[in-house]
Amino acid sequence: MRVIIKKDYDACAKWTADYIAGKLFRACPTEENPFVLGLPTGSTPLGVYKRLVELNAKGLISFKNVITFNMDEYSNLDENHPQSYHYFMNEHFFSKIDIKKENVHILDGTAANPEQECLCYEECIRQAGGIDLFLGGCGGDGHIAFNEPGSSLSSRTRMKTLTEDTILANARFFGGDCSLVPRTALTVGIGTITDAKEVLIMMTGPSKADALQHAVEESVSQMWPVTILQMHRSSIIVADDSCTDKLRVGTVKYFNGIEAKITDSYESIFANK
């Protein structure tokens, strides 16, 4: 596991976006051999998407041969609903880059048969050759996508009932009214995420400090789903200084020391662009 520690959210978002851009640049994806990217919604990736849009507008990277799979979608929200994740992704990312519409995949929360929808999603990922890099955020309780504490660490795409904490946290997107937040969602599983060749999770702010401490220093547990990154062959956590408040001083020094020795990195390709 790599742990990248930056000054603040903006620095974390830039590092993450430049890293992804560097991976695309070096992969040189083609129509026959596309790059497959897993994507999240929410406030965490907004800075990442903004930076990627800028790099795309400058002609430094292209998404023409990129296939995307989003992590999740609320149940029973039409894709045109302002709080649907279809709407979010189009508003903040897809409408602003040169990606092909047919290469964008988001779960259909209005599907008549949610179970079949989830099975088909897994099959689409398999047919695409698997996910090369899965970007994600993390909740204060350690959940990734809508895999709440207690989720199976080998789970696949499925419907999940949201916890009251998650509903309360997401109420801000529904005018602060918890009654308007859907009670269920379709989500990729933890096993789906960790099948990716690489997983990159952003965690910023003091509210994520407990989750980061568990992810890095504690044992793997289904009660803190993000801890599964310890078992992944290629995982990265990008965190800001305020998120490291509960890490041991020695832990922070260790990871900062390792990163100081890395000179040939993907993100360095676009660091000054």
Side-chain angles (χ1 to χ4, degrees):
M1 176 191 289
R2 289 179 69 184
V3 178
I4 310 296
I5 301 170
K6 296 295 180 181
K7 178 181 178 181
D8 53 25
Y9 171 83
D10 289 341
C12 287
K14 183 179 185 299
W15 189 96
T16 300
D18 290 354
Y19 183 83
I20 293 170
K23 298 288 284 192
L24 291 177
F25 183 82
R26 290 190 176 179
C28 296
T30 63
E31 187 172 352
E32 295 75 24
N33 187 28
F35 191 91
V36 184
L37 190 59
L39 297 173
T41 52
S43 57
T44 296
L46 285 175
V48 178
Y49 292 152
K50 181 180 178 181
R51 170 69 171 165
L52 290 174
V53 168
E54 291 172 355
L55 294 175
N56 181 238
K58 292 176 180 178
L60 297 173
I61 57 171
S62 173
F63 291 89
K64 288 181 180 178
N65 295 310
V66 173
I67 296 174
T68 65
F69 288 90
N70 262 76
M71 282 186 159
D72 40 31
E73 178 59 287
Y74 285 119
S75 297
N76 302 317
L77 284 193
D78 181 85
E79 65 180 49
N80 295 314
H81 190 288
Q83 297 307 326
S84 76
Y85 291 163
H86 282 78
Y87 188 95
F88 176 99
M89 291 303 300
N90 190 60
E91 181 77 9
H92 295 288
F93 195 43
F94 294 141
S95 66
K96 301 178 180 182
I97 59 175
D98 61 343
I99 195 166
K100 299 172 184 174
K101 186 176 181 180
E102 62 267 26
N103 284 348
V104 172
H105 300 84
I106 306 178
L107 285 155
D108 181 3
T110 65
N113 187 335
E115 183 177 352
Q116 186 61 35
E117 170 69 10
C118 294
L119 290 173
C120 288
Y121 206 67
E122 289 277 342
E123 179 60 18
C124 283
I125 293 174
R126 189 193 68 78
Q127 290 184 3
I131 293 173
D132 292 299
L133 188 154
F134 221 133
L135 172 66
C138 176
D141 59 3
H143 76 258
I144 46 179
F146 276 126
N147 296 286
E148 309 280 12
S151 296
S152 166
L153 298 181
S154 61
S155 56
R156 312 306 303 187
T157 303
R158 68 216 186 282
M159 179 181 282
K160 282 287 290 180
T161 299
L162 307 186
T163 66
E164 288 304 315
D165 284 346
T166 295
I167 291 170
L168 182 61
N170 289 353
R172 68 187 189 277
F173 302 117
F174 293 82
D177 188 346
C178 290
S179 69
L180 298 179
V181 183
R183 264 41 189 175
T184 60
L186 304 186
T187 181
V188 295
I190 297 174
T192 314
I193 296 169
T194 55
D195 273 354
K197 297 180 182 71
E198 191 168 10
V199 180
L200 193 164
I201 299 294
M202 269 187 66
M203 303 170 68
T204 59
S207 65
K208 308 293 178 69
D210 281 323
L212 179 63
Q213 192 269 331
H214 276 271
V216 176
E217 295 180 340
E218 302 297 335
S219 58
V220 176
S221 168
Q222 80 276 12
M223 298 312 296
W224 290 89
V226 71
T227 59
I228 194 62
L229 294 184
Q230 296 175 28
M231 304 296 292
H232 197 273
R233 60 192 177 279
S234 183
S235 63
I236 302 175
I237 294 177
V238 183
D240 65 357
D241 282 334
S242 66
C243 193
T244 66
D245 286 351
K246 297 193 176 181
L247 291 180
R248 299 183 184 95
V249 172
T251 299
V252 174
K253 287 183 177 180
Y254 171 77
F255 284 109
N256 280 339
I258 289 176
E259 292 306 317
K261 295 179 174 64
I262 296 177
T263 56
D264 181 26
S265 55
Y266 287 102
E267 72 280 0
S268 65
I269 299 171
F270 296 98
N272 299 311
K273 301 295 185 180

